[in-house]
């Protein structure tokens, strides 16, 4: 669920080696992602990632920030096997992946509290209910003062990149419930859950990284 190509030509470009998945597009953007995460994550943050895909981004971020602890998750067992493979190389920084599926919204209340909720390249290849449950998860399980970090393509009206418009058409041809999300709709969804946009970072391949923060007290 968590894989987005740099162009709308193909949905998947992963290859497998010893159970670990490798993604050329992840290889192209992981350094940029790790650089921004290294700056915006609080010290010793406990991070929960939804839809961790290959697990390569978690490794890159934890290499840049060895003080944090990263909990990957994914509904796909093949992806979880890859995340577990990468986690074994990271020592204690990355935990064994969880089988979380935000399409159902189940098991949210069973999670331990955490400091940062991360979701990269997911909400455009999932029904809108996943974004709604992501906001619910942030409200229920993030510690006061916690942050949400989102990464992926967005639509911004007339300012939308042509490649993102093409990608939106491609996604909807695969599943009408998918699609590149409207940036204002995503910001509004999280604002209603108590999270305000604190930072917007332009990223490679017409993606954005959004940092949303909550008040210190609720």
């Amino acid at each position: 669920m968590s894989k987005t190509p740099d162009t709308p030509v193909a949905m998947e470009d992963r290859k497998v080696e010893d159970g670990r998945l490798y993604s050329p597009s992840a290889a192209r953007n992981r350094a940029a992602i790790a650089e921004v995460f290294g700056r915006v994550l609080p010290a010793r943050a406990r991070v929960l990632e939804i839809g961790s895909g290959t697990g390569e981004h978690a490794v890159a971020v934890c290499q840049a920030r060895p003080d944090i602890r990263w909990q990957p998750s994914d509904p796909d067992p093949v992806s979880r096997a890859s995340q577990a493979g990468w986690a074994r190389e990271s020592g204690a920084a990355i935990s064994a992946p969880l089988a979380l599926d935000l399409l159902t919204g189940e098991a949210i209340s069973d999670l331990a509290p955490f400091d940062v909720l991360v979701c990269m390249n997911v909400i455009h290849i999932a029904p809108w209910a996943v974004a709604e449950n992501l906001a619910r998860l942030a409200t229920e399980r993030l510690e006061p003062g916690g942050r949400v970090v989102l990464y992926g393509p967005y639509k911004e009206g007339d300012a939308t990149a042509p490649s993102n418009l093409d990608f939106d058409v491609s996604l909807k041809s695969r599943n009408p419930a998918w699609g590149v999300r409207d940036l204002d709709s995503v910001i509004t969804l999280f604002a209603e859950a108590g999270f305000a946009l604190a930072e917007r970072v332009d990223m490679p391949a017409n993606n954005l990284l959004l940092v949303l923060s909550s008040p210190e007290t609720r």
Side-chain angles (χ1 to χ4, degrees), residues 8-74:
V9 174
M11 280 295 294
E12 191 54 86
D13 59 358
R14 304 189 298 186
K15 63 179 181 179
V16 182
E17 183 176 313
D18 298 328
R20 293 175 300 172
L21 299 171
Y22 294 78
S23 166
S25 56
R28 288 191 293 271
N29 64 29
R30 65 191 177 197
I33 288 173
E35 188 278 327
V36 179
F37 271 85
R39 177 174 58 79
V40 304
L41 292 180
R44 298 177 296 279
R46 297 163 296 168
V47 178
L48 171 64
E49 182 183 14
I50 297 298
S52 301
T54 65
E56 294 169 274
H57 287 133
V59 174
V61 176
C62 289
Q63 287 174 343
R65 284 289 305 275
D67 60 303
I68 66 173
R69 294 296 176 264
W70 195 282
Q71 175 63 70
S73 73
D74 208 285

Side-chain angles (χ1 to χ4, degrees), residues 26-215:
R28 288 191 293 271
N29 64 29
R30 65 191 177 197
I33 288 173
E35 188 278 327
V36 179
F37 271 85
R39 177 174 58 79
V40 304
L41 292 180
R44 298 177 296 279
R46 297 163 296 168
V47 178
L48 171 64
E49 182 183 14
I50 297 298
S52 301
T54 65
E56 294 169 274
H57 287 133
V59 174
V61 176
C62 289
Q63 287 174 343
R65 284 289 305 275
D67 60 303
I68 66 173
R69 294 296 176 264
W70 195 282
Q71 175 63 70
S73 73
D74 208 285
D76 174 42
V78 175
S79 294
R80 290 198 303 274
S82 177
Q83 295 154 28
W86 286 110
R88 285 191 291 270
E89 293 193 358
S90 69
I94 303 177
S95 301
L98 301 176
L100 295 182
D101 187 348
L102 258 63
L103 186 58
T104 65
E106 296 176 357
I108 287 179
S109 60
D110 296 334
L111 294 169
F114 47 92
D115 304 306
V116 180
L117 176 62
V118 169
C119 189
M120 295 185 276
N121 289 332
V122 169
I123 61 174
H124 57 280
I125 51 172
W128 182 244
V130 167
E132 293 174 329
N133 284 330
L134 189 68
R136 174 189 159 204
L137 173 60
T139 300
E140 295 185 5
R141 306 313 299 162
L142 265 179
E143 294 281 18
R147 300 174 188 176
V148 178
V149 183
L150 305 177
Y151 173 91
Y154 293 92
K155 289 190 291 186
E156 299 184 82
D158 292 340
T160 304
S163 62
N164 285 347
L165 292 174
D166 292 342
F167 190 30
D168 182 56
V169 172
S170 176
L171 289 169
K172 289 176 178 174
S173 72
R174 293 175 170 92
N175 187 326
W178 295 358
V180 176
R181 303 305 178 187
D182 181 77
L183 180 61
D184 287 342
S185 296
V186 173
I187 292 173
T188 298
L189 174 67
F190 280 88
E192 292 172 347
F195 295 85
L197 181 64
E199 187 170 356
R200 165 198 165 135
V201 183
D202 291 329
M203 300 296 286
N206 296 313
N207 289 306
L208 296 177
L209 189 146
L210 309 175
V211 181
L212 303 110
S213 62
S214 66

